[in-house]
Amino acid sequence: MYANAVQDLIDEFGRLPGIGPKSAQRIAFHILKLSPEDALRLSRAITVVKERVSWCRRCFNIAETAPDAQPAPPDGEVQVECDICRDDRRDSTVVCVVEEPRVVIAIEKTREFRGRYHVLQGAISPIDGIGPDKLRIRELLSRLQSEGIQELILCTNPNIEGDATALYLTSLLK
């Protein structure tokens, strides 16, 4: 129906989480209306984030390399630590376990928590085929043994998946 390039763009936007066919169409047509400079700025922002951002090797939050550093490897191998893990003023004995990096940002905005984090990168959801083996639970257990963590705060979402994840972690850690 649409020109191949436009349909390809709609299809790619449609692959993003939370973007249905109509939203994908709206975004694609919005981009068509952008000036070439604005479209290139968007394209550069996507390229830069893929080159410089990876997962923190300790907590699995997002971590960015310096602009002049080597790009993150395409295989997704973790190379750097995030700003929070590098901050020596943080209490390394207290770790808040969260599902996603965006929760770290929400907690940090309160300026109340001075510990560190561990990002599971999801929650247990058998319906979606996500079991404990697909989360960063092994890495959390490894941190407990090697980093002298004394207190874990489980901060999962108040839904079925979050509760299942918290219950699983609680039983595993007893």
Side-chain angles (χ1 to χ4, degrees):
M1 177 179 253
Y2 296 111
N4 288 342
V6 173
Q7 188 61 53
D8 289 347
L9 187 59
I10 291 169
D11 293 344
E12 289 305 312
F13 284 128
R15 293 177 54 196
L16 296 173
I19 304 292
K22 288 184 180 182
S23 293
Q25 230 176 19
R26 277 193 295 276
I27 295 168
F29 281 100
H30 174 75
I31 287 177
L32 284 172
K33 292 177 185 176
L34 290 177
S35 69
E37 297 82 21
D38 289 344
L40 287 173
R41 191 170 55 249
L42 174 62
S43 172
R44 275 193 302 273
I46 292 170
T47 300
V48 167
V49 81
K50 291 305 294 175
E51 289 175 348
R52 294 200 320 226
V53 176
S54 63
W55 303 119
C56 174
R57 70 177 177 206
R58 178 182 288 174
C59 75
F60 300 95
N61 188 15
I62 55 172
E64 184 174 0
T65 59
D68 56 349
Q70 292 283 68
D75 63 2
E77 184 180 328
V78 180
Q79 299 292 319
V80 297
E81 286 187 346
C82 67
D83 292 340
I84 294 170
C85 285
R86 285 194 309 259
D87 187 347
D88 291 334
R89 297 170 297 177
R90 307 295 292 227
D91 183 351
S92 62
T93 65
V94 179
V95 172
C96 182
V97 179
V98 299
E99 292 177 21
E100 302 290 340
R102 66 178 175 257
V103 179
V104 172
I105 301 303
I107 295 170
E108 284 298 294
K109 283 182 180 179
T110 68
R111 296 184 182 196
E112 295 293 323
F113 182 68
R114 297 303 307 156
R116 294 203 171 134
Y117 297 91
H118 187 86
V119 181
L120 296 171
Q121 295 188 343
I124 295 172
S125 177
I127 291 174
D128 296 322
I130 301 171
D133 58 313
K134 294 198 177 172
L135 304 178
R136 298 293 186 164
I137 293 173
R138 275 189 305 272
E139 294 86 350
L140 175 62
L141 297 176
S142 175
R143 288 182 70 189
L144 287 172
Q145 293 175 349
S146 65
E147 294 182 23
I149 296 169
Q150 297 173 2
E151 182 180 353
L152 273 183
I153 301 167
L154 300 181
C155 188
T156 56
N157 288 328
N159 56 27
I160 293 171
E161 293 84 3
D163 290 345
T165 304
L167 285 171
Y168 177 82
L169 287 171
T170 301
S171 67
L172 187 66
L173 296 169
K174 279 189 177 179

